[in-house]
Amino acid sequence: MPEYNPNRHHRRSIRLKGYDYTLAGAYFVTICIYHWDCLLGDVRDGEMVLSEYGRIVQHTWDDLPNHYPHVELDAWIIMPNHVHGIIVLTDVGAGHVGAGHVGAGLRPAPTTGKSPRRHDLPEIVRAFKSFSAYRINRLRNSPGIPVWQRNYYEHIIRTERVLQAIRQYISDNPIRWHLDRYNPEAMGHDLRATM
């Protein structure tokens, strides 16, 4: 398997046709704000400082395991106009496979039967986007205004080496913000023109 390259695999879906996204495993996701507006905060001296909207996104992200018992959160970061995170889908009751404890959980494994309450990765991301958008729009008194871009990027994490590379990429995001292609100040152009 080729090594994870954030420049090549950045913010576009490479969803595998026919793949069962309810399977246990680790998934890297990137979810972008509509028109790449810097709604979620600012990077100051290499540190992310969340806005009120960013704090709503953080609360919604942190709350995912409370709504989905088979979800664990690994490394994640909220940036001014996007979120990077590793979502781990577990076999309920199978034990922790998230941060610091990897192995078989990285490789999606067949399951013998699916609980009717088990949600797939697209449904979990949709719920995250929907709940956070509703709360943001309620705060800014703008019901129905898009907050997130329609799609998201995801990558199935299959090896420990890739997991560590993605964790590092997430950790380094704030200090590399000045180089980010979706940083409007760094690029000197209106990102809406690229849509």
Side-chain angles (χ1 to χ4, degrees):
M1 178 179 142
E3 184 135 337
Y4 171 74
N5 179 341
N7 293 322
R8 200 178 93 215
H9 298 113
H10 203 58
R11 294 177 181 86
R12 64 181 169 81
S13 176
I14 54 169
R15 208 154 292 130
L16 296 175
K17 282 190 187 291
Y19 183 81
D20 182 356
Y21 283 92
T22 64
L23 292 176
Y27 301 87
F28 172 58
V29 297
T30 298
I31 308 162
C32 296
I33 291 290
Y34 189 69
H35 286 168
W36 297 281
D37 290 335
C38 292
L39 186 68
L40 306 179
D42 299 304
V43 175
R44 298 182 195 145
D45 298 323
E47 299 275 331
M48 184 60 198
V49 179
L50 297 176
S51 67
E52 281 184 282
Y53 308 129
R55 286 189 292 277
I56 289 170
V57 168
Q58 179 178 5
H59 173 75
T60 307
W61 184 266
D62 286 340
D63 204 35
L64 285 172
N66 295 325
H67 297 280
Y68 303 99
H70 63 290
V71 166
E72 294 179 6
L73 303 174
D74 197 286
W76 57 272
I77 186 77
I78 297 169
M79 295 299 292
N81 58 10
H82 61 280
V83 174
H84 293 299
I86 299 171
I87 296 174
V88 180
L89 301 184
T90 65
D91 288 326
V92 178
H96 181 75
V97 297
H101 183 78
V102 273
L106 283 178
R107 280 186 210 84
T111 55
T112 55
K114 293 185 183 104
S115 164
R117 297 190 316 162
R118 185 173 178 86
H119 300 278
D120 65 8
L121 182 68
E123 171 61 19
I124 294 162
V125 171
R126 186 211 57 78
F128 164 76
K129 290 165 68 173
S130 179
F131 294 147
S132 58
Y134 172 78
R135 292 175 183 134
I136 287 170
N137 280 334
R138 191 172 61 187
L139 180 63
R140 64 184 182 176
N141 197 25
S142 60
I145 301 297
V147 172
W148 299 102
Q149 290 186 24
R150 200 169 132 214
N151 210 346
Y152 67 96
Y153 166 84
E154 116 275 315
H155 175 80
I156 303 164
I157 302 172
R158 298 176 191 266
T159 68
E160 178 72 29
R161 188 180 77 212
V162 172
L163 175 66
Q164 293 305 326
I166 292 172
R167 284 177 176 158
Q168 190 65 52
Y169 174 73
I170 289 170
S171 174
D172 291 346
N173 238 243
I175 59 173
R176 297 182 53 79
W177 176 240
H178 66 286
L179 301 172
D180 196 297
R181 73 183 198 184
Y182 293 120
N183 177 345
E185 292 177 14
M187 297 301 109
H189 65 280
D190 186 354
L191 290 168
R192 293 172 192 173
T194 64
M195 290 184 63

